[in-house]
Structures are given as structure tokens and as C-alpha cells.
Amino acid sequence: MTYDLVVIGGGPAGVAGALTAALAGLRVALIDSGARLGGQYFRHAAAHGTGHAAESGLARFLRLGERLGERADLLLRHQVWHISQNDGGDFTVHCNGPDGGPVAVRARRLLIATGAHDRPLPFPGWDLPGVLTAGGAQALLKGNGVVPGRRVVVGGTGPFLLPVATGLAEAGARVLGVYEANGGLGLARHPLLAMGKAGEAAGYAATLARHLVPYRTRRAVVAAHGEREVQAVTVARLDQDWNVLATRVVECDTVAVGYGFVPQIELGLQLGCGTRQDVDGSPVLSVDSAQRTTVPGVWAAGEPTGVGGWQLSELEGRIAGRSIAERPVAGVLTRRRDRGRAFGAALQRAYPVKAGWQGWLRADTLVCRCEEVPLARVREARDLGATDARSVKLLARPGMGWCQGRICGYAVSCLAGEPQQPSRRPIAQPVSLGALADTADGIPDDPATDPVDDPAH
Amino acid sequence: MTFHITIDGRQVPVVPGQTIGAALHAAGVRSWRTTRFGGRPRGLFCGIGVCFDCLISVNGRAPERACLLEAAPGDEVTTS
Amino acid sequence: MSDVIVVGAGVVGAACAYYAARAGLDVTVIDRGPVAGGTTGSGEGNVLVSDKEPGPELELAVLSNGLWRSLAERHDRQAGPGAHGGFEFEAKGGLVVAETDEIQRRLVELAAEQGLEHVLVSGPELRDYEPRLAEGLAGGVLYPQDAQVQPMLAAARLLRDGADSFGRGTLHLRLGVTVTGFVHSGERVTGVRTSHGDVLGGAVINAAGTWGGEVAALAGVTLPILPRRGFILVTEPLPEPLIKHKVYTAAYVTNVASDSADLETSAVVEGTPAGTVLIGASRERVGFDRTTSVPVLARLAAQAVALFPALREARAIRSYCGFRPYCPDHLPVIGADPRLPGLYHACGHEGAGIGLAPATGHLLAQVLTGQTPDLDLKPFRPDRFSEDSP
Ligand SMILES: Cc1cc2nc3c(=O)[nH]c(=O)nc-3n(C[C@H](O)[C@H](O)[C@H](O)COP(=O)(O)OP(=O)(O)OC[C@H]3O[C@@H](n4cnc5c(N)ncnc54)[C@H](O)[C@@H]3O)c2cc1C
Ligand SMILES: Cc1cc2nc3c(=O)[nH]c(=O)nc-3n(C[C@H](O)[C@H](O)[C@H](O)COP(=O)(O)OP(=O)(O)OC[C@H]3O[C@@H](n4cnc5c(N)ncnc54)[C@H](O)[C@@H]3O)c2cc1C
Ligand code: FES
């Protein structure tokens, strides 16, 4: 069986796209590696309390998810590791099924809605347990109901630090400070205000004030200390370019840091989709006004086309769904999307990553956590004639390990002195050789399509 | 409503739906493997399946990402 | 002005530059990309003698094998023991295994003809050498000389050591510079035109690998070098080393020498110092198409698992592909081009360029300094193809 549409990603973009297309009569399957729909923003615990569900549209999202479950096949706990285009022009989506076995799904059209992940920057001690990405801290809270620590420091750049810090504070963590590396303005003149998000910004400000959480700009966590886990961090005052001006030590048991997001575009790259550079330099998939990529039959929506928040992702998903179903796209939708994109671009401009972070590293600071490559080895590779990130990787191994450079890729590009290039990852998720070998004698086509009983839970 | 899993024989409570990584982290177990070269402790970092820091062996299987894997009653995990 | 200009900073160009500088020549190496950014950055690092049929390539391989060893020793004399040459040199030995008695008989015959150091291994003994091998294999032959290097590091080290160490010749590296044509003076080649101006030299070595034919064409001569695609699968680092030698099936030997354009795969499995297992090797002639082929990856996985059942649980985390520089007779092109004085070639090493690089560089340095090369270069001569064609 070949689906009219297979959507990869069950966040706001993927769910909106799948539902829109399904309502227009298409046979749709949606694949996500998670156990529940939601993606990053609508991540929720299996047994979520009502209070949480009412917040920020989660209840609405869950209803959309339920409607989708009635009209489409939901393949949850399926990790897509490769998509190939067949001779006839249709596509085969190769997944690891819930038990690790191979599952292949055929599609006439595809929607790539794989979201983004945090963009961390390395600093001494960043690999100590207790140092989490901002998104990681939030995922513990939202998806598992676990407060990540008692005394938490939040650092990085961008408006995303605010929901993370407020979430932590409201869940009972003592947030010792939010350290925003950019902006000299402070919360009262946060760029969110200038972008018509005054209500949102004020809400965060009020929550932080209520919990006595200091919000400090031009500050960053530049080192973490501890033996087997983090016990303290060095917080630095920064100049405009993020060079350290002065430091002090803050005792804490948990750190949540994030410097923006990295769009996940590798499935598009596998198919040969064209890319462009986003405002912050991230490679993203190029799409036209109807969210079509440069490869016929392949659409993309949400963060793989550029980061701009969940509402934008959802809008893009809806537009893609209409376009995939060959229905007209209302002008009001595209106009809202274009405004959303302008907003996303403005945020990226307001929260750039400045080169001074490289000065936070010591020779023995790990740049690549998987292969344990310290800065000194990256420098040695450059000395040996590595003039770009790929050859730094070939000579010193950063990015060759499990995460495939997702975590260190941005830093390595900066250290190699080149803009980030799209990373080819022909194997997007680890696949066991046994499962791969079994693929050789014909793939179990048509997964049992056991629509997971209750999609939203 | 909670059930238990064990880590190296020690019991850790789990709220249904929690991942193994979240349950361990909540119980104060913040690292469960060490790196190949430097022997550095590792636990959760990205929390969403991207970094592979949180690899853990469950019921004797090859290591999997603890932040993605939902805990099931009676799961036995081992540190390495 | 340099004595020698080397076009290409892959492992072959690096070896040419290294031995030329060591022989006292002033060398400039030009590459349009970084060091080892071509096929050298997308191969494996096997330094094999075992897979060569008796003949000129085997002689080249044996010479080269010895040179890799002495390069590693030379480096370690300065850097200290355990530096592995600065390029992860490991003389781990290769084990060729046979699925059937008939294949084993042929392997034994081949080993006798090659005249290399080897150990015949019976079926039951196989697991003394490789404890995790599958049951039921007929036997194999162990070649202790087979070794492994990290090709990108090897190329980079050779360029660095060539630039540093001798105090006689010099070595300049110009990266990000594309050769776009040649400078002629009368009948001779006297330099190259590049994206960054002309570079003059007494001799030009074409070490452009798979692009060697294109570079030759810029000089006005033909070399029939074509890409032969290969995929490699890489596993996650395994907790304990599963595989000690480089292990491959006999089919590998016949595929290497095959003329077919169609897909051929044979299991080549080995561990690396990083703990990962590399699984090759596929061969197909499909031009420069990089599209990942799931059927090819699946076949590689199936063959590896058939050899080492314990690999079933291991996960592949990466794959990559490269384009071997392939000549119709499977031999590299090494030596002066009689059609164009001043032009030399060192390319077309197909699936053995890493292994054969030092011998290639060493022999060319001998030619450039007027010595008699240690091996007869006739089988590798650049104009052999035009003569052969009817
Ligand atoms: C950890 C994290 C937390 C965030 N929290 C907030 C927040 O609080 N507020 C806010 O405004 N923004 C937040 N963001 C930004 C957020 O990503 C967007 O606002 C929104 O979720 C984007 O929606 P999306 O549909 O584009 O992608 P996502 O919501 O990220 O959904 C993508 C989905 O694709 C799935 N997927 C990806 N690759 C594969 C694959 N190979 N196989 C199978 N499935 C795959 C993922 O599991 C995921 O469910 C967060 C981002 C991250 C990374
Ligand atoms: C999958 C695979 C596995 C392999 N495994 C092995 C193995 O185990 N052992 C082994 O010995 N061999 C192996 N090989 C073969 C080996 O990789 C090659 O034979 C070898 O790398 C060739 O090296 P080279 O220096 O000739 O070419 P390259 O490394 O390709 O170098 C040529 C250089 O020339 C440059 N160049 C080209 N045109 C121009 C121009 N106009 N101007 C400037 N610069 C230019 C390129 O940028 C490139 O850097 C394998 C190959 C593949 C694909
Ligand atoms: S914490 Fe990053 S993959 Fe699990």
C-alpha cells in the first residue's frame, strides 16, 4: 500500500499538515519517534494534569491530535533513518519500528516536519552531569513531570530561556538566575515587546519577579565545576562580542543552557532538497510560498524551513497540507505565515551568537562530547591543513560519533572559520545491522499499521 | 500508581509514562555510563534523543537512549 | 619557482610531495580543497598485500607496505613509541576467509603464487584468530603484513613532515587553489594556471586521483580514469573489540579485479582504534552519483552479519561513499608522460591508493632526481591506453 502522504514529525507543523490533508480526503500516515504526539512545544506527560493541559493551547492541540488519530495512521515510536525515492517517483520511508525491527512505509508525497533541537555551545565542564540543554530541562519537566534540579542556573541566548526559567520556577526549582548573553536592555525592554508579544513577555516577567528570579543580560555561564556532577558555575559579565569582562562563581546543582536552535534537515538532504542559509547562518530547507521543497513531491514545514516558534510551525503545516491536497491556500494564511517568518528572523537578529564564546574554551575543553575531542586537537587539525569543518572532522573526529555532529557541528564550523554547511547524514538514526541486513531480503512493507490506540496519551 | 525499575539492583520509582532517563534523574542518579577514553560520567544532556550521552543498557540489550525509552515495570538497567 | 608542482593533496599527492622534498627538491602542493578532501577522505585505510594477484601491482604493494612501516617508525622515533606514525598505523594483519572448500583451495593456490608471508588456517582454527567469526566457514589465509592507517591523518602527516623535517627540499602547501590549465614553454610543461594565478615549476605531477583524467585533459593528454563508487557502513563504537584483524571474504579479491559496471559487494570488516567497525565494500560504476542506496547498505550489512553474527546487535550510525579512481586495466598511472615533457602522473590507484601511495611517491622522486626507480614503471606508463586500443 502506498499512502498519498506520509508526514514525518508529530509536532505542531506535522499534525497540522497531516490533519489538513486528511480532512481533504488524502490517505495519510504520520510518523514520529516519540511515544505521544506533541513535538517539542506540546510535549506532555502521559498523565498530564488539567492545569498544564489548559496552558498555551495544549488542550486544543490534543483535540487536533485526536481528530487526526481518527483519520490517519499514526506510527508513533517509529524512528525514520532514511528516505529514498523509488524509480516510479514515489518514496520509501525506512524506520526502526518500536521493537527495533525494520519498517518501510511508501508514500506518494512527503511532508518533512522534523523540528529542531537545541544549539549548545561548549564551555569547560559542559559535559558534567547536571548540565542540560535548556530544551532538555524543559523536556524533563513537560514530558516527565520531573523537576530537573533544586538550584538551577539558566543561561544562553534567546526568548526561549524565558519559558524554561518560568517553567522551572513554577515547578518549584530555585532558579538562581537567567543569564542572557545578548542585549543590554533587560526584561523591561525585551525584544518580544517590540514584536507584538507584550502579553507573553509581561507574563514571563511577572512570573520571574514573583519567584525572585534575576534576569541578567550580557552574562553567560562560561564554566561548570564539580567532580562527578555540577556543583557550581562561573558566570561571566560579557562585552558586546561575548568576551569575558569579570566573573563570579554561583553554586548550583543544575544548569540549563541553550543558544538557539538547529533545524533538523537531514531527511530533506537525503532526498536532495535544496537549502538556504537562515538569518543566523543555519542551513534550512528552501521552500516556496506553498511550502514545496525543490524536490517534486516533497514539502517541508516548521523548523526545518527556519525557526520561528510553534505558531509559525503550525501555520506552515496547514499551508503545506492544503498545497499537498491541491487545495487553494487562503491569502490570510500566507500573510500570517509571512509575518511569522519576519518575526522569527527579527528574533534571530536580536539574539545572535557572538564569536567571543571561543575565548571561554581551554585547550582541554571537549568540543565533541561523543568522541571526546578537546579544543587542542581541533587546533592541531587546522595546523595540519584542515581548512574547513569537514576536514577538521576527518582529521580530529569531532562529529564522527553517535550524535553525528548535531551537538558539536555548530561549534566546529565556527572554530574552522566557516559558515555551517548542511550535514549529510545518510543514516539519520542508528539502525541495527541485523535490521538493516533483514532489509536486504525484501522489506516488511506495510507495517501492521497498528494505529496506536490513544494518540494523545 | 508508580512502579519500580532497578538500577544495579537499587530500586527507583517511576510514574507511568516517564522515560528511564527521567526516572533515574528524578531519583538523583545523574550519570550511568562513563566515556570510552576519559572515563567521564554521562547522563542526560539534550533530553530529546539527539546527543546520545544518555545511552544505557536495559534488560541486557544493547545500549539505548534513556531519554527516549519509556520505563516498563521491572526493567533492570545497568551502569557501565 | 618550485622544482615540482603537485596537483592534489590526497594521500598520493602527499606522498609524492614528501618523497620529493626528502630527495632535496622544492615542492609546491596545490589542491582546490583542504588536505585529504577528495577520495582519501572517503575511503578506508587498508594497506593490503593480500588481495593482489601476482604481478606489477603486488610488487608495488609490497614495496609500499615496507615504506608505510618505515614512515611510521621514523615518526615514532621522534614522537615516541605508541604514536603509531601519527596516523594510527597498525600492522594488524589480514585474514581472508573462504566459505567453501573449493574457495579455500583457490585461496591456498593464490597464496602460493604470491610468495608473501602467510599462514594457512583451517576451518576449525579460524576462531583461534577471530573468536567471533561465524561457524561453518571452510578456512582462510592470514597475511601478517596487511596493515591499516588513518588515511586523512596519513596524508596530512606526510605533508607536515615533508614541510618540516629535512632542511633540504621545501614543501609549500596551497589549499583552496584550483588548477585550471597548464603553462607551456615550447614542447614542455612549465607550470599550471590556477584560480589564484600561474604557478611555475620544473615539473608538474598530476595527483588528482579520480579527477586525474580531467587534469590531464587540461594539459591536452588523455587518461581514461573513471569513478567507481563505494559505500562504507560505520557502526557505533562497540564496548569491546569484536574483530582483531581486517577480515574479508574471498569474493573481495575477484570483485576488486572485476570489469563489471554493476554493483558488486563483498564483506570487508574491521575494527578501528576509535572502537567503531567499518564495513565495506561495494563497487559500482554509476558516475559521481552520491545518492545513498539502501539496497547496497543492506547487502553490506547482511554480509558482515553473516561473517560475524554478533554484529547483528551493533548499530550502524553513519555511512559514506567515495569514488575510486579507476583505470580500465586496474593499474595506476605512475611516471613521466612521454607525450608531454615535464608532465608526470600519479593517479588512478582505484581501491588501493592509500596502500600504494608511499611507493608511488618514492618511485616518482627517483625518476625526478634521475635515479633508476626500484621497480620497472613500464606497466604503469601513462600512454599505455592509447597503444592498447585498436
Ligand atoms: C527541546 C525543545 C523545547 C522547546 N520548547 C519550546 C517552548 O517552550 N516554547 C516555544 O515557543 N518553543 C519551544 N521550542 C521550539 C519549538 O521546537 C517550536 O516552537 C515547535 O515545537 C516547533 O514545531 P515543529 O512542528 O516545527 O517541530 P517539533 O515540535 O520539534 O516536532 C518535530 C517532531 O519530529 C520528530 N522527528 C524528528 N526527526 C525524526 C525522525 N528521524 N524520525 C521520527 N520522528 C522524528 C520529533 O520527535 C518531533 O516530535 C522548543 C524546542 C526544543 C528543541
Ligand atoms: C569506499 C572506498 C574504500 C576504499 N578503501 C581503500 C582502502 O582500504 N585502502 C586503499 O589503499 N585504498 C582504498 N580506497 C581507495 C583510495 O581511497 C584512493 O585510491 C585514494 O584515496 C586515492 O588518493 P589520491 O590522492 O590519488 O586521490 P584524492 O584523495 O582524490 O586526491 C586528489 C585531490 O586532487 C584534488 N584536485 C582534483 N582536481 C583538481 C584541480 N583541478 N585543482 C586542484 N586540485 C584538484 C582534489 O581536490 C583531491 O583532493 C577506497 C576508496 C573508496 C571510495
Ligand atoms: S539526553 Fe541526549 S540523547 Fe538522551
Side-chain angles (χ1 to χ4, degrees):
Chain A
M1 203 256 303
T2 303
Y3 287 99
D4 296 322
L5 169 67
V6 168
V7 178
I8 301 105
V15 167
L19 184 58
T20 306
L23 287 172
L26 268 56
R27 277 220 60 157
V28 178
L30 181 143
I31 307 179
D32 196 292
S33 52
R36 294 177 283 280
L37 294 177
Q40 305 308 349
Y41 185 71
F42 292 120
R43 184 182 287 278
H44 55 282
H48 48 83
T50 41
H52 184 54
E55 162 208 311
S56 306
L58 177 59
R60 174 176 158 274
F61 177 85
L62 294 177
R63 279 197 303 278
L64 295 182
E66 269 158 36
R67 285 174 70 195
L68 180 63
E70 291 155 11
R71 285 173 182 78
D73 291 334
L74 299 181
L75 305 180
L76 298 174
R77 298 187 175 93
H78 282 65
Q79 304 169 348
V80 178
W81 66 268
H82 190 83
I83 307 180
S84 46
Q85 185 153 25
N86 307 315
D87 291 339
D90 64 347
F91 304 93
T92 302
V93 182
H94 296 272
C95 317
N96 297 317
D99 59 355
V103 173
V105 187
R106 285 175 82 105
R108 265 185 275 284
R109 284 165 226 162
L110 294 171
L111 173 59
I112 297 174
T114 44
H117 57 79
D118 282 270
R119 178 164 65 195
L121 290 177
F123 54 84
W126 73 308
D127 68 326
L128 279 171
V131 179
L132 300 166
T133 64
Q138 201 193 37
L140 271 175
L141 203 56
K142 277 192 180 178
N144 295 279
V146 171
V147 187
R150 275 195 276 278
R151 296 170 58 83
V152 188
V153 166
V154 177
T157 193
F160 175 49
L161 300 181
L162 297 173
V164 173
T166 49
L168 289 167
E170 289 190 313
R174 171 117 192 265
V175 180
L176 302 168
V178 180
Y179 301 108
E180 162 62 59
N182 274 304
L185 301 174
L187 208 49
R189 293 171 62 194
H190 196 280
L192 280 177
L193 298 180
M195 294 166 197
K197 301 259 171 172
E200 210 174 297
Y204 292 134
T207 309
L208 293 181
R210 191 166 66 245
H211 293 278
L212 304 176
V213 175
Y215 177 88
R216 313 292 301 277
T217 56
R218 292 262 165 81
R219 300 285 191 293
V221 174
V222 297
H225 315 283
E227 274 302 313
R228 294 203 49 92
E229 47 188 79
V230 64
Q231 291 165 329
V233 291
T234 300
V235 174
R237 195 154 56 78
L238 306 176
D239 71 8
Q240 278 208 36
D241 296 316
W242 296 14
N243 299 303
V244 172
L245 298 175
T247 63
R248 73 192 170 90
V249 172
V250 177
E251 283 182 22
C252 61
D253 57 35
T254 303
V255 186
V257 275
Y259 288 87
F261 295 103
V262 179
Q264 308 211 78
I265 61 170
E266 55 257 348
L267 297 181
L269 293 178
Q270 290 174 354
L271 291 160
C273 297
T275 60
R276 65 177 180 90
Q277 269 192 1
D278 211 358
V279 174
D280 68 347
S282 299
V284 293
L285 300 179
S286 306
V287 287
D288 68 7
S289 65
Q291 302 297 133
R292 276 181 288 248
T293 70
T294 58
V295 174
V298 183
W299 280 254
E303 304 197 310
T305 70
V307 171
W310 72 269
Q311 285 111 328
L312 175 62
S313 287
E314 187 185 305
L315 272 171
E316 292 184 353
R318 287 171 63 188
I319 293 170
R322 300 285 298 176
S323 165
I324 291 165
E326 292 168 23
R327 299 293 160 90
V329 178
V332 55
L333 279 187
T334 50
R335 281 193 298 278
R336 275 172 60 203
R337 183 216 31 222
D338 296 346
R339 277 203 305 278
R341 281 203 185 146
F343 169 70
L347 278 186
Q348 288 182 29
R349 266 190 289 274
Y351 295 99
V353 174
K354 298 287 190 69
W357 67 267
Q358 296 182 30
W360 309 345
L361 310 191
R362 297 189 317 233
D364 65 352
T365 303
L366 293 189
V367 174
C368 166
R369 303 162 69 98
C370 300
E371 295 298 304
E372 298 172 70
V373 182
L375 177 65
R377 286 240 300 284
V378 171
R379 288 194 178 134
E380 201 178 286
R382 292 209 63 183
D383 268 7
L384 279 171
T387 51
D388 61 6
R390 175 172 178 263
S391 50
V392 169
K393 164 174 157 182
L394 291 176
L395 291 180
R397 301 191 61 81
M400 281 217 186
W402 279 288
C403 90
Q404 290 291 288
R406 288 177 173 94
I407 299 296
C408 67
Y410 177 76
V412 172
S413 294
C414 294
L415 292 168
E418 81 167 343
Q420 242 202 324
Q421 302 299 316
S423 309
R424 290 173 59 91
R425 295 190 185 103
I427 299 184
Q429 294 286 322
V431 52
S432 80
L433 291 177
L436 189 49
D438 294 344
T439 311
D441 6 278
I443 305 153
D445 209 357
D446 262 354
T449 27
D450 44 340
V452 178
D453 9 46
D454 189 351
H457 294 261
Chain B
M1 246 197 19
T2 64
F3 58 84
H4 285 83
I5 61 173
T6 61
I7 173 158
D8 296 335
R10 175 188 153 191
Q11 296 234 316
V12 168
V14 179
V15 177
Q18 277 180 341
T19 64
I20 290 192
L24 293 178
H25 192 94
V29 182
R30 287 188 162 201
S31 67
W32 43 83
R33 75 170 174 104
T34 50
T35 59
R36 290 171 286 153
F37 305 115
R40 294 163 179 259
R42 290 290 159 83
L44 294 178
F45 178 59
C46 76
I48 61 166
V50 173
C51 74
F52 291 77
D53 265 9
C54 64
L55 289 170
I56 197 164
S57 172
V58 182
N59 301 329
R61 294 192 302 261
E64 294 162 85
R65 283 166 278 181
C67 68
L68 293 185
L69 197 64
E70 261 181 49
D75 275 348
E76 289 181 21
V77 303
T78 40
T79 58
S80 54
Chain C
M1 184 177 128
S2 299
D3 299 319
V4 187
I5 296 165
V6 178
V7 183
V11 70
V12 173
C16 291
Y18 170 86
Y19 284 102
R22 191 163 145 176
L25 301 173
D26 291 336
V27 187
T28 299
V29 180
I30 300 176
D31 200 297
R32 61 184 173 197
V35 164
T39 310
T40 301
S42 50
E44 284 182 89
N46 299 310
V47 175
L48 298 189
V49 290
S50 55
D51 67 334
K52 311 283 188 294
E53 305 269 350
E57 200 189 5
L58 179 58
E59 288 173 37
L60 196 63
V62 171
L63 174 64
S64 220
N65 190 283
L67 291 173
W68 272 127
R69 259 160 232 275
S70 50
L71 286 168
E73 281 160 18
R74 194 184 172 107
H75 179 90
D76 289 4
R77 272 201 296 277
Q78 277 155 27
H84 299 285
F87 46 76
E88 299 180 10
F89 178 81
E90 244 189 305
K92 56 178 2 189
L95 181 65
V96 195
V97 299
E99 288 101 333
T100 66
D101 292 334
E102 169 57 19
I103 296 176
Q104 174 68 358
R105 199 181 51 71
R106 298 223 306 268
L107 283 183
V108 173
E109 266 173 35
L110 176 65
E113 291 165 28
Q114 286 168 322
L116 298 167
E117 188 187 341
H118 67 271
V119 183
L120 301 180
V121 184
S122 70
E125 287 169 339
L126 274 175
R127 292 210 195 167
D128 298 342
Y129 294 90
E130 281 294 342
R132 311 301 284 267
L133 266 177
E135 281 177 66
L137 292 160
V141 182
L142 177 78
Y143 291 85
Q145 273 168 289
D146 281 353
Q148 179 171 311
V149 299
Q150 205 277 36
M152 297 72 83
L153 273 178
R157 277 287 167 219
L158 285 172
L159 289 169
R160 164 51 46 87
D161 290 354
D164 283 350
S165 47
F166 303 109
R168 285 185 283 161
T170 59
L171 194 161
H172 298 288
L173 192 52
R174 298 200 48 194
L175 300 174
V177 176
T178 304
V179 171
T180 55
F182 280 75
V183 183
H184 300 261
S185 166
E187 296 286 273
R188 280 191 72 82
V189 161
T190 53
V192 290
R193 301 203 185 288
T194 78
S195 52
H196 292 63
D198 292 357
V199 182
L200 299 182
V204 178
I205 300 179
N206 167 17
T210 314
W211 303 272
E214 292 169 23
V215 170
L218 293 176
V221 296
T222 50
L223 277 188
I225 296 179
L226 292 170
R228 199 176 180 196
R229 183 169 77 175
F231 281 102
I232 304 286
L233 263 179
V234 188
T235 70
E236 63 190 328
L238 303 184
E240 58 196 277
L242 218 62
I243 297 152
K244 296 190 195 163
H245 304 85
K246 168 196 168 57
V247 181
Y248 62 93
T249 50
Y252 181 72
V253 185
T254 46
N255 285 351
V256 167
S258 156
D259 287 324
S260 168
D262 297 339
L263 169 69
E264 294 171 339
T265 59
S266 48
V268 186
V269 187
E270 69 188 303
T272 68
T276 56
V277 173
L278 299 186
I279 298 166
S282 65
R283 293 164 189 272
E284 55 192 321
R285 299 215 308 270
V286 290
F288 282 105
D289 181 359
R290 284 196 173 275
T291 315
T292 300
S293 161
V294 173
V296 174
L297 298 186
R299 257 165 77 170
L300 292 177
Q303 288 169 340
V305 165
L307 268 187
F308 290 98
L311 283 176
R312 277 196 78 83
E313 302 299 311
R315 276 162 304 204
I317 58 171
R318 300 192 276 135
S319 81
Y320 57 87
C321 77
F323 300 94
R324 303 176 184 91
Y326 155 90
C327 286
D329 59 2
H330 302 286
L331 291 178
V333 181
I334 305 171
D337 194 325
R339 299 166 295 184
L340 192 55
L343 179 64
Y344 298 75
H345 300 284
C347 50
H349 294 71
E350 203 176 332
I354 316 296
L356 301 178
T360 303
H362 167 73
L363 294 168
L364 263 187
Q366 289 181 317
V367 172
L368 286 167
T369 53
Q371 291 169 267
T372 310
D374 291 345
L375 286 183
D376 180 10
L377 290 179
K378 211 151 165 254
F380 310 117
R381 68 194 185 283
D383 58 338
R384 64 184 192 268
F385 306 101
S386 38
E387 291 163 20
D388 291 348
S389 57

